[in-house]
Coordinates of all heavy atoms in Angstrom, one line a residue:
M848 N 106.6 234.7 161.3 CA 106.7 233.7 162.3 C 108.1 232.9 162.2 O 108.6 232.7 161.1 CB 105.6 232.7 162.1 CG 105.4 231.6 163.3 SD 104.0 230.6 163.1 CE 104.3 229.5 164.5
Q849 N 108.6 232.6 163.4 CA 109.9 232.0 163.4 C 109.7 230.4 163.3 O 108.9 229.9 164.0 CB 110.6 232.3 164.7 CG 112.1 231.9 164.8 CD 113.0 232.9 164.2 OE1 112.6 234.0 163.9 NE2 114.2 232.5 164.0
F850 N 110.5 229.8 162.4 CA 110.5 228.4 162.3 C 111.9 227.8 162.6 O 112.9 228.4 162.2 CB 110.1 228.0 160.9 CG 108.6 228.2 160.6 CD1 108.2 229.3 160.0 CD2 107.7 227.2 161.0 CE1 106.8 229.5 159.8 CE2 106.3 227.4 160.8 CZ 105.9 228.6 160.2
Q851 N 111.9 226.7 163.3 CA 113.1 226.0 163.6 C 113.3 224.9 162.5 O 112.5 224.1 162.3 CB 113.1 225.4 165.0 CG 114.4 224.9 165.5 CD 115.3 226.1 165.9 OE1 114.8 227.2 166.1 NE2 116.6 225.8 166.0
I852 N 114.5 224.9 161.9 CA 114.8 224.1 160.8 C 116.1 223.3 161.1 O 117.0 223.9 161.7 CB 115.0 224.9 159.5 CG1 113.6 225.4 159.1 CG2 115.6 224.0 158.4 CD1 113.8 226.5 158.1
T853 N 116.1 222.1 160.7 CA 117.4 221.3 160.8 C 117.9 221.2 159.4 O 117.3 220.7 158.5 CB 117.1 219.9 161.4 OG1 116.5 220.1 162.7 CG2 118.4 219.1 161.6
C854 N 119.2 221.6 159.3 CA 119.8 221.6 158.0 C 120.0 220.1 157.5 O 120.5 219.3 158.2 CB 121.2 222.3 158.0 SG 122.1 222.2 156.5
K855 N 119.7 219.9 156.2 CA 119.8 218.5 155.7 C 121.3 218.2 155.4 O 121.6 217.0 155.3 CB 119.0 218.4 154.3 CG 117.5 218.4 154.5 CD 116.9 218.3 153.1 CE 115.4 218.5 153.3 NZ 114.7 218.5 151.9
H856 N 122.1 219.2 155.2 CA 123.5 219.0 154.8 C 124.4 218.7 156.0 O 125.2 217.8 156.0 CB 124.0 220.1 154.0 CG 123.2 220.3 152.7 ND1 123.4 219.6 151.6 CD2 122.2 221.2 152.4 CE1 122.5 220.0 150.7 NE2 121.8 220.9 151.2
C857 N 124.2 219.6 157.1 CA 125.1 219.5 158.2 C 124.4 219.1 159.5 O 125.0 218.8 160.5 CB 125.9 220.8 158.5 SG 124.8 222.2 158.8
G858 N 123.0 219.1 159.4 CA 122.2 218.6 160.5 C 122.1 219.5 161.7 O 121.6 219.1 162.8
K859 N 122.6 220.8 161.5 CA 122.5 221.7 162.6 C 121.2 222.5 162.5 O 120.7 222.9 161.4 CB 123.7 222.7 162.5 CG 125.0 222.0 162.9 CD 126.1 223.0 162.9 CE 127.4 222.3 163.3 NZ 128.6 223.1 163.1
P860 N 120.6 222.8 163.7 CA 119.3 223.5 163.7 C 119.5 225.0 163.6 O 120.5 225.6 164.2 CB 118.7 223.1 165.0 CG 119.9 222.8 165.9 CD 121.0 222.3 165.0
F861 N 118.7 225.7 162.8 CA 118.7 227.1 162.8 C 117.3 227.7 162.5 O 116.4 226.9 162.1 CB 119.7 227.7 161.7 CG 119.3 227.2 160.3 CD1 118.6 228.1 159.5 CD2 119.7 226.0 159.8 CE1 118.3 227.7 158.2 CE2 119.4 225.6 158.5 CZ 118.7 226.5 157.7
G862 N 117.1 228.9 162.8 CA 115.7 229.5 162.7 C 115.6 230.4 161.5 O 116.6 231.0 161.1
I863 N 114.4 230.4 160.9 CA 114.1 231.3 159.8 C 112.8 232.0 160.1 O 112.0 231.5 160.8 CB 114.0 230.5 158.4 CG1 112.9 229.5 158.5 CG2 115.3 229.9 158.0 CD1 112.4 229.0 157.1
E864 N 112.7 233.1 159.4 CA 111.5 234.0 159.5 C 110.7 233.7 158.3 O 111.2 234.0 157.2 CB 111.9 235.4 159.7 CG 110.7 236.3 160.1 CD 110.3 236.1 161.5 OE1 111.1 235.8 162.4 OE2 109.1 236.3 161.8
A865 N 109.5 233.2 158.4 CA 108.7 232.9 157.2 C 107.2 232.9 157.6 O 106.8 232.8 158.8 CB 109.0 231.5 156.6
Q866 N 106.4 233.1 156.5 CA 104.9 233.0 156.7 C 104.5 231.5 156.8 O 105.2 230.6 156.3 CB 104.2 233.6 155.5 CG 104.4 235.0 155.3 CD 103.6 235.9 156.2 OE1 102.4 235.6 156.4 NE2 104.2 237.0 156.7
Q867 N 103.4 231.2 157.5 CA 102.9 229.9 157.7 C 102.5 229.3 156.3 O 101.8 230.1 155.6 CB 101.8 229.8 158.7 CG 102.3 229.9 160.1 CD 101.2 229.8 161.1 OE1 100.1 229.8 160.8 NE2 101.6 229.6 162.4
G868 N 102.8 228.1 156.0 CA 102.4 227.5 154.8 C 103.1 227.9 153.5 O 102.8 227.7 152.4
Q869 N 104.3 228.6 153.8 CA 105.1 229.2 152.7 C 106.2 228.2 152.4 O 106.7 227.5 153.3 CB 105.6 230.5 153.1 CG 105.7 231.5 151.9 CD 106.2 232.9 152.4 OE1 106.9 233.0 153.4 NE2 105.9 233.9 151.7
T870 N 106.6 228.2 151.1 CA 107.9 227.5 150.8 C 109.0 228.5 150.7 O 108.9 229.4 149.9 CB 107.7 226.7 149.5 OG1 106.6 225.8 149.6 CG2 108.9 225.9 149.2
V871 N 110.0 228.3 151.5 CA 111.0 229.3 151.6 C 112.4 228.7 151.2 O 112.7 227.6 151.6 CB 111.2 229.8 153.1 CG1 112.2 230.9 153.2 CG2 109.8 230.3 153.6
R872 N 113.1 229.5 150.4 CA 114.5 229.1 150.1 C 115.4 229.9 151.0 O 115.3 231.1 151.0 CB 114.8 229.3 148.6 CG 116.1 228.8 148.2 CD 116.3 229.2 146.7 NE 115.5 228.3 145.9 CZ 116.0 227.1 145.4 NH1 117.2 226.7 145.8 NH2 115.2 226.4 144.6
C873 N 116.3 229.2 151.7 CA 117.2 229.9 152.6 C 118.5 229.2 152.6 O 118.7 228.1 152.2 CB 116.6 229.9 154.0 SG 116.3 228.3 154.7
N874 N 119.5 229.9 153.1 CA 120.9 229.4 153.2 C 121.2 229.0 154.6 O 120.9 229.8 155.5 CB 121.9 230.4 152.7 CG 121.9 230.5 151.1 OD1 121.6 229.5 150.4 ND2 122.0 231.7 150.6
C875 N 121.8 227.9 154.8 CA 122.2 227.4 156.2 C 123.3 228.3 156.7 O 124.3 228.5 156.0 CB 122.6 226.0 156.1 SG 123.3 225.4 157.7
P876 N 123.2 228.9 157.9 CA 124.3 229.8 158.4 C 125.5 229.0 158.8 O 126.6 229.6 159.0 CB 123.6 230.4 159.6 CG 122.5 229.5 160.0 CD 122.0 228.8 158.8
F877 N 125.4 227.7 158.9 CA 126.6 226.9 159.3 C 127.4 226.4 158.1 O 128.6 226.5 158.1 CB 126.1 225.7 160.2 CG 125.4 226.1 161.4 CD1 124.0 226.1 161.5 CD2 126.1 226.6 162.5 CE1 123.4 226.5 162.6 CE2 125.4 227.0 163.7 CZ 124.1 226.9 163.7
C878 N 126.8 225.8 157.1 CA 127.5 225.3 156.0 C 127.3 226.0 154.7 O 127.9 225.8 153.7 CB 127.2 223.8 155.8 SG 125.5 223.5 155.3
G879 N 126.3 226.9 154.7 CA 126.1 227.8 153.5 C 125.3 227.1 152.4 O 125.0 227.7 151.4
Q880 N 124.8 225.9 152.6 CA 124.1 225.2 151.6 C 122.6 225.7 151.6 O 122.1 226.0 152.6 CB 124.0 223.7 151.9 CG 125.3 223.0 151.8 CD 125.7 222.7 150.3 OE1 124.9 222.7 149.4 NE2 127.0 222.5 150.1
S881 N 122.1 225.9 150.4 CA 120.7 226.4 150.2 C 119.8 225.2 150.5 O 120.0 224.1 150.2 CB 120.5 226.9 148.8 OG 120.6 225.9 147.9
A882 N 118.7 225.6 151.2 CA 117.7 224.6 151.5 C 116.3 225.1 151.2 O 116.0 226.3 151.5 CB 117.8 224.2 153.0
V883 N 115.4 224.3 150.7 CA 114.0 224.7 150.4 C 113.2 224.1 151.5 O 113.2 222.9 151.7 CB 113.5 224.3 149.0 CG1 112.1 224.7 148.8 CG2 114.4 224.9 148.0
V884 N 112.5 225.0 152.2 CA 111.7 224.5 153.4 C 110.3 224.9 153.2 O 109.9 226.0 152.9 CB 112.2 225.2 154.7 CG1 111.5 224.7 155.9 CG2 113.7 225.0 154.8
A885 N 109.4 223.9 153.4 CA 107.9 224.1 153.3 C 107.5 224.2 154.8 O 107.5 223.3 155.5 CB 107.2 223.0 152.6
T886 N 107.1 225.4 155.2 CA 106.7 225.6 156.6 C 105.2 225.1 156.7 O 104.4 225.3 155.8 CB 106.7 227.1 156.9 OG1 106.0 227.8 156.0 CG2 108.2 227.6 156.9
P887 N 104.9 224.5 157.8 CA 103.6 224.0 158.1 C 102.6 225.1 158.3 O 102.9 226.1 158.9 CB 103.8 223.1 159.3 CG 104.9 223.7 160.0 CD 105.8 224.3 159.0
M888 N 101.3 224.8 157.9 CA 100.2 225.7 158.2 C 99.6 225.3 159.5 O 99.3 224.1 159.8 CB 99.2 225.7 157.1 CG 99.6 226.6 156.0 SD 98.1 227.0 154.9 CE 98.6 226.1 153.5
A889 N 99.3 226.3 160.3 CA 98.7 226.0 161.7 C 97.3 225.4 161.5 O 97.0 224.5 162.3 CB 98.7 227.3 162.5
E890 N 96.5 226.0 160.6 CA 95.1 225.5 160.5 C 95.1 224.1 159.8 O 94.3 223.3 160.2 CB 94.3 226.5 159.6 CG 94.1 227.8 160.3 CD 93.3 228.7 159.4 OE1 92.7 228.3 158.4 OE2 93.2 229.9 159.8
V891 N 96.0 223.9 158.9 CA 96.0 222.6 158.2 C 96.5 221.5 159.1 O 96.1 220.3 158.9 CB 96.9 222.7 156.9 CG1 97.0 221.4 156.2 CG2 96.2 223.7 156.0
S892 N 97.3 221.8 160.1 CA 97.8 220.8 160.9 C 96.7 220.0 161.7 O 96.8 218.8 161.9 CB 98.8 221.4 161.9 OG 98.1 222.2 162.8
E893 N 95.6 220.8 162.0 CA 94.5 220.1 162.6 C 93.8 219.2 161.6 O 93.3 218.1 161.9 CB 93.5 221.1 163.2 CG 94.1 221.8 164.4 CD 93.1 222.8 164.9 OE1 92.0 222.9 164.5 OE2 93.5 223.6 165.8
R894 N 93.7 219.7 160.3 CA 93.0 218.9 159.3 C 93.8 217.7 158.9 O 93.3 216.7 158.4 CB 92.8 219.8 158.0 CG 91.8 220.9 158.2 CD 91.6 221.7 156.9 NE 91.0 223.0 157.2 CZ 91.0 224.0 156.4 NH1 91.7 223.9 155.2 NH2 90.4 225.1 156.7
Q895 N 95.1 217.8 159.0 CA 96.0 216.7 158.6 C 95.7 215.4 159.4 O 96.0 214.3 159.0 CB 97.4 217.1 158.6 CG 97.9 217.9 157.4 CD 99.3 218.3 157.5 OE1 99.9 218.4 158.6 NE2 99.9 218.8 156.4
D896 N 95.2 215.6 160.6 CA 95.0 214.5 161.5 C 93.8 213.6 160.9 O 93.9 212.4 161.0 CB 94.6 215.0 162.9 CG 95.8 215.5 163.6 OD1 96.9 215.2 163.3 OD2 95.6 216.3 164.5
A897 N 92.8 214.3 160.3 CA 91.7 213.5 159.7 C 92.1 212.7 158.5 O 91.9 211.5 158.4 CB 90.6 214.5 159.4
P898 N 92.8 213.3 157.5 CA 93.3 212.5 156.4 C 94.3 211.4 156.8 O 94.3 210.4 156.1 CB 94.0 213.5 155.5 CG 93.4 214.8 155.8 CD 93.1 214.7 157.3
L899 N 95.0 211.7 157.9 CA 95.9 210.6 158.3 C 95.2 209.4 158.7 O 95.6 208.3 158.4 CB 96.8 211.1 159.5 CG 98.1 211.8 159.1 CD1 98.8 212.4 160.3 CD2 99.0 210.8 158.4
D900 N 94.0 209.6 159.4 CA 93.3 208.4 159.9 C 92.6 207.7 158.6 O 92.5 206.5 158.6 CB 92.1 208.9 160.8 CG 92.7 209.2 162.2 OD1 93.7 208.6 162.6 OD2 92.1 210.1 162.8
V901 N 92.2 208.5 157.6 CA 91.7 208.0 156.4 C 92.8 207.2 155.7 O 92.5 206.1 155.1 CB 91.1 209.1 155.5 CG1 90.6 208.5 154.2 CG2 89.9 209.7 156.3
R902 N 94.0 207.8 155.7 CA 95.1 207.1 155.0 C 95.5 205.8 155.7 O 96.0 204.9 155.0 CB 96.3 208.0 154.9 CG 96.2 209.1 153.9 CD 97.4 210.0 153.9 NE 97.1 211.3 153.4 CZ 97.8 212.4 153.7 NH1 98.9 212.3 154.5 NH2 97.5 213.5 153.2
R903 N 95.3 205.7 157.0 CA 95.7 204.5 157.7 C 95.0 203.3 157.2 O 95.6 202.2 157.1 CB 95.6 204.7 159.2 CG 96.8 205.4 159.8 CD 96.5 205.7 161.3 NE 97.4 206.7 161.8 CZ 97.1 207.5 162.8 NH1 96.0 207.3 163.5 NH2 97.9 208.4 163.2
Q904 N 93.7 203.4 156.9 CA 92.9 202.3 156.6 C 93.3 201.7 155.2 O 93.6 200.5 155.1 CB 91.4 202.6 156.6 CG 90.9 202.8 158.0 CD 89.5 203.3 158.0 OE1 89.0 203.8 157.0 NE2 88.9 203.2 159.2
P905 N 93.5 202.5 154.1 CA 94.0 201.9 152.9 C 95.5 201.4 153.0 O 95.9 200.5 152.4 CB 94.0 203.1 151.9 CG 93.1 204.1 152.5 CD 93.1 203.9 154.0
A906 N 96.2 202.1 154.0 CA 97.6 201.7 154.1 C 97.7 200.3 154.7 O 98.5 199.4 154.3 CB 98.3 202.6 155.1
V907 N 96.7 200.0 155.6 CA 96.7 198.6 156.2 C 96.2 197.6 155.2 O 96.8 196.5 155.1 CB 95.7 198.6 157.4 CG1 95.5 197.2 157.9 CG2 96.3 199.4 158.6
Q908 N 95.2 198.0 154.3 CA 94.7 197.1 153.3 C 95.8 196.9 152.2 O 96.0 195.8 151.8 CB 93.5 197.7 152.6 CG 92.3 197.6 153.5 CD 91.1 198.3 153.0 OE1 91.2 199.1 152.0 NE2 89.9 198.2 153.6
S909 N 96.5 198.0 151.9 CA 97.6 197.8 150.8 C 98.8 197.1 151.4 O 99.7 196.7 150.7 CB 97.9 199.2 150.2 OG 98.5 200.0 151.2
A910 N 98.9 197.1 152.8 CA 100.1 196.5 153.4 C 100.0 195.0 153.2 O 101.0 194.3 153.1 CB 100.1 196.8 154.9
R911 N 98.8 194.4 153.1 CA 98.7 193.0 152.9 C 99.3 192.5 151.5 O 100.1 191.7 151.5 CB 97.3 192.6 153.0 CG 96.8 192.5 154.5 CD 95.4 192.1 154.6 NE 94.8 192.3 155.9 CZ 93.6 192.3 156.2 NH1 92.7 192.1 155.3 NH2 93.2 192.5 157.5
P912 N 98.8 193.2 150.4 CA 99.5 192.8 149.1 C 100.9 193.1 149.1 O 101.7 192.4 148.5 CB 98.7 193.6 148.1 CG 97.5 194.1 148.7 CD 97.7 194.1 150.2
D913 N 101.3 194.3 149.7 CA 102.8 194.6 149.7 C 103.6 193.6 150.5 O 104.6 193.2 150.0 CB 102.9 196.0 150.3 CG 102.5 197.1 149.4 OD1 102.4 196.8 148.2 OD2 102.3 198.2 149.8
G914 N 103.0 193.2 151.6 CA 103.7 192.2 152.4 C 103.8 190.9 151.7 O 104.8 190.2 151.7
W915 N 102.7 190.6 151.0 CA 102.6 189.3 150.2 C 103.6 189.3 149.1 O 104.4 188.4 148.9 CB 101.2 189.1 149.7 CG 100.9 187.7 149.6 CD1 100.7 186.8 150.7 CD2 100.6 186.9 148.4 NE1 100.4 185.6 150.2 CE2 100.3 185.6 148.9 CE3 100.7 187.2 147.1 CZ2 100.1 184.6 147.9 CZ3 100.4 186.2 146.2 CH2 100.1 184.9 146.6
S916 N 103.7 190.5 148.3 CA 104.6 190.6 147.2 C 106.0 190.6 147.8 O 107.0 190.0 147.1 CB 104.3 191.8 146.4 OG 104.6 193.0 147.2
L917 N 106.2 191.2 149.0 CA 107.6 191.2 149.6 C 108.0 189.7 149.9 O 109.1 189.3 149.7 CB 107.6 192.1 150.8 CG 108.9 192.2 151.5 CD1 109.8 193.1 150.7 CD2 108.7 192.8 152.9
G918 N 107.0 189.0 150.5 CA 107.3 187.6 150.8 C 107.6 186.8 149.5 O 108.5 185.9 149.5
R919 N 106.9 187.1 148.4 CA 107.1 186.4 147.2 C 108.5 186.7 146.7 O 109.3 185.9 146.2 CB 106.1 186.8 146.1 CG 104.8 186.1 146.3 CD 103.7 186.5 145.4 NE 104.0 186.1 144.0 CZ 103.3 186.5 142.9 NH1 102.3 187.3 143.1 NH2 103.6 186.1 141.7
K920 N 108.9 188.1 146.8 CA 110.2 188.5 146.3 C 111.3 187.8 147.1 O 112.3 187.3 146.6 CB 110.4 190.0 146.5 CG 109.8 190.8 145.4 CD 110.0 192.3 145.7 CE 109.1 193.1 144.7 NZ 109.1 194.5 145.1
V921 N 111.1 187.7 148.5 CA 112.1 187.0 149.3 C 112.2 185.6 149.0 O 113.3 185.0 148.9 CB 111.6 187.2 150.8 CG1 112.5 186.3 151.7 CG2 111.8 188.6 151.3
T922 N 111.0 184.9 148.7 CA 111.0 183.5 148.3 C 111.7 183.3 146.9 O 112.6 182.4 146.8 CB 109.6 183.0 148.1 OG1 108.9 183.3 149.3 CG2 109.5 181.5 147.9
V923 N 111.5 184.2 146.0 CA 112.1 184.1 144.7 C 113.6 184.3 144.8 O 114.4 183.6 144.3 CB 111.5 185.2 143.7 CG1 112.4 185.3 142.5 CG2 110.1 184.8 143.3
V924 N 114.0 185.3 145.6 CA 115.5 185.6 145.8 C 116.1 184.4 146.5 O 117.2 184.0 146.2 CB 115.6 186.9 146.7 CG1 117.1 187.0 147.2 CG2 115.3 188.1 145.8
F925 N 115.4 183.8 147.5 CA 115.9 182.7 148.2 C 116.2 181.5 147.3 O 117.2 180.9 147.3 CB 115.0 182.3 149.4 CG 115.4 181.1 150.1 CD1 116.4 181.2 151.1 CD2 114.7 179.9 150.0 CE1 116.8 180.1 151.8 CE2 115.1 178.8 150.7 CZ 116.2 178.9 151.6
I926 N 115.2 181.3 146.4 CA 115.3 180.1 145.5 C 116.4 180.4 144.5 O 117.2 179.5 144.2 CB 113.9 180.0 144.7 CG1 112.9 179.4 145.7 CG2 114.1 179.1 143.5 CD1 111.5 179.4 145.2
V927 N 116.6 181.7 144.0 CA 117.6 182.0 143.1 C 119.0 181.8 143.7 O 119.9 181.2 143.2 CB 117.5 183.4 142.6 CG1 118.7 183.9 141.9 CG2 116.3 183.5 141.6
V928 N 119.1 182.3 145.0 CA 120.4 182.1 145.7 C 120.7 180.7 146.0 O 121.8 180.2 145.8 CB 120.3 182.9 147.1 CG1 121.5 182.6 148.0 CG2 120.3 184.4 146.8
L929 N 119.6 179.9 146.3 CA 119.8 178.5 146.6 C 120.3 177.7 145.4 O 121.3 177.0 145.4 CB 118.5 177.9 147.1 CG 118.5 176.5 147.7 CD1 119.2 176.5 149.1 CD2 117.1 175.9 147.8
F930 N 119.6 178.0 144.2 CA 120.0 177.3 143.0 C 121.4 177.8 142.5 O 122.2 177.0 142.0 CB 119.0 177.6 141.9 CG 117.9 176.6 141.9 CD1 116.7 176.9 142.6 CD2 118.0 175.4 141.2 CE1 115.7 175.9 142.6 CE2 117.0 174.5 141.2 CZ 115.8 174.7 141.9
S931 N 121.7 179.1 142.7 CA 123.1 179.5 142.3 C 124.1 178.9 143.2 O 125.2 178.6 142.8 CB 123.2 181.0 142.4 OG 122.9 181.5 143.7
L932 N 123.8 178.7 144.5 CA 124.8 178.0 145.4 C 124.9 176.5 145.0 O 126.1 176.0 145.0 CB 124.2 178.1 146.9 CG 124.5 179.3 147.6 CD1 123.8 179.3 149.0 CD2 126.0 179.5 147.8
I933 N 123.8 175.9 144.6 CA 123.9 174.5 144.2 C 124.8 174.4 142.9 O 125.6 173.6 142.7 CB 122.5 173.9 143.9 CG1 121.8 173.7 145.3 CG2 122.6 172.6 143.2 CD1 120.3 173.4 145.2
A934 N 124.5 175.4 141.9 CA 125.2 175.4 140.7 C 126.7 175.7 141.0 O 127.6 175.0 140.3 CB 124.6 176.4 139.8
L935 N 127.0 176.6 141.9 CA 128.4 176.9 142.2 C 129.1 175.7 142.8 O 130.2 175.4 142.5 CB 128.4 178.1 143.2 CG 129.7 178.7 143.5 CD1 130.3 179.5 142.3 CD2 129.7 179.7 144.7
S936 N 128.4 175.1 143.8 CA 129.0 173.9 144.4 C 129.3 172.8 143.4 O 130.3 172.1 143.5 CB 128.2 173.5 145.6 OG 126.9 173.1 145.2
A937 N 128.3 172.6 142.5 CA 128.5 171.6 141.5 C 129.6 171.9 140.6 O 130.5 171.1 140.2 CB 127.2 171.4 140.7
F938 N 129.7 173.2 140.2 CA 130.8 173.7 139.4 C 132.2 173.5 140.0 O 133.1 173.0 139.4 CB 130.5 175.2 139.1 CG 131.6 175.8 138.2 CD1 131.7 175.4 136.9 CD2 132.4 176.8 138.7 CE1 132.6 176.0 136.0 CE2 133.3 177.4 137.9 CZ 133.5 177.0 136.5
L939 N 132.2 173.9 141.3 CA 133.5 173.7 142.1 C 133.8 172.2 142.2 O 135.0 171.8 142.2 CB 133.3 174.4 143.5 CG 133.4 175.9 143.5 CD1 133.1 176.4 144.9 CD2 134.8 176.4 143.0
Y940 N 132.8 171.4 142.4 CA 133.0 169.9 142.6 C 133.6 169.4 141.3 O 134.6 168.6 141.3 CB 131.7 169.3 142.9 CG 131.8 167.8 143.0 CD1 132.4 167.1 144.1 CD2 131.3 167.0 141.9 CE1 132.5 165.8 144.1 CE2 131.4 165.6 142.0 CZ 132.0 165.0 143.1 OH 132.1 163.6 143.1
I941 N 133.1 169.8 140.2 CA 133.6 169.4 138.9 C 135.0 169.8 138.7 O 135.9 169.0 138.3 CB 132.7 169.9 137.7 CG1 131.3 169.2 137.7 CG2 133.3 169.7 136.4 CD1 130.3 169.9 136.9
I942 N 135.3 171.1 139.0 CA 136.7 171.6 138.9 C 137.7 170.9 139.8 O 138.7 170.4 139.3 CB 136.7 173.1 139.2 CG1 136.0 173.9 138.0 CG2 138.1 173.6 139.4 CD1 135.9 175.4 138.3
F943 N 137.3 170.7 141.0 CA 138.2 170.0 142.0 C 138.4 168.6 141.7 O 139.5 168.0 141.8 CB 137.8 170.2 143.4 CG 138.1 171.6 144.0 CD1 137.1 172.5 144.2 CD2 139.4 171.9 144.2 CE1 137.5 173.8 144.7 CE2 139.8 173.1 144.7 CZ 138.8 174.1 144.9
S944 N 137.3 167.9 141.2 CA 137.4 166.5 140.8 C 138.3 166.4 139.6 O 139.1 165.4 139.5 CB 136.1 165.9 140.6 OG 135.4 166.5 139.6
A945 N 138.2 167.3 138.7 CA 139.1 167.3 137.5 C 140.5 167.6 137.9 O 141.5 167.0 137.3 CB 138.6 168.4 136.5
M946 N 140.8 168.5 138.8 CA 142.1 168.8 139.3 C 142.7 167.6 140.0 O 143.9 167.4 139.8 CB 142.1 170.0 140.2 CG 142.0 171.4 139.4 SD 141.7 172.7 140.6 CE 143.3 172.8 141.3
S947 N 142.0 166.9 140.8 CA 142.5 165.8 141.6 C 142.9 164.6 140.6 O 143.8 163.9 140.9 CB 141.5 165.3 142.6 OG 140.3 164.9 142.0
N948 N 142.2 164.5 139.5 CA 142.5 163.5 138.5 C 143.7 164.0 137.7 O 144.6 163.2 137.4 CB 141.4 163.3 137.6 CG 140.2 162.6 138.3 OD1 140.4 161.9 139.3 ND2 139.0 162.8 137.8
Ligands
LIG210 ZN1 124.0 223.3 157.0

């Protein structure tokens, strides 16, 4: 079966001859770089729709803690940047006040 592949190195599309569900190592005809391609299985592609729906529900549930931890990270980074800016401005104020004296 013919599969259409886009080269990861040069981004050009080319075709390979492979069995379905096979992992094929091939060389790009444009740039010569070797690429490992996992060809999709026709029967599994229908089954993959069902696990995708199952995966969506935990993904939404796990998105809440992820989003929360991301918000905490952003808050922590913001506080660190804010305090470093305050420390920097205080440091510069001390230096400039010492220089003007
Ligand atoms: Zn290429």
Side-chain angles (χ1 to χ4, degrees):
M848 188 174 176
Q849 188 86 12
F850 286 97
Q851 194 73 19
I852 291 166
T853 305
C854 176
K855 287 178 188 175
H856 300 280
C857 62
K859 288 181 179 172
F861 61 96
I863 59 160
E864 191 72 30
Q866 298 278 321
Q867 286 183 344
Q869 218 178 21
T870 303
V871 185
R872 184 180 286 273
C873 59
N874 286 324
C875 173
F877 298 102
C878 65
Q880 293 282 341
S881 65
V883 178
V884 182
T886 57
M888 275 199 249
E890 292 180 12
V891 173
S892 65
E893 290 179 9
R894 290 179 197 164
Q895 279 175 345
D896 289 336
L899 270 176
D900 286 328
V901 176
R902 279 178 208 159
R903 270 174 204 157
Q904 288 175 342
V907 170
Q908 285 173 352
S909 65
R911 281 179 194 166
D913 284 342
W915 212 66
S916 65
L917 184 71
R919 282 175 71 186
K920 278 179 191 171
V921 168
T922 307
V923 167
V924 167
F925 178 74
I926 288 168
V927 167
V928 168
L929 192 72
F930 272 93
S931 61
L932 277 174
I933 289 168
L935 188 70
S936 60
F938 180 67
L939 285 173
Y940 176 75
I941 289 165
I942 285 177
F943 280 111
S944 60
M946 280 172 73
S947 61
N948 289 337

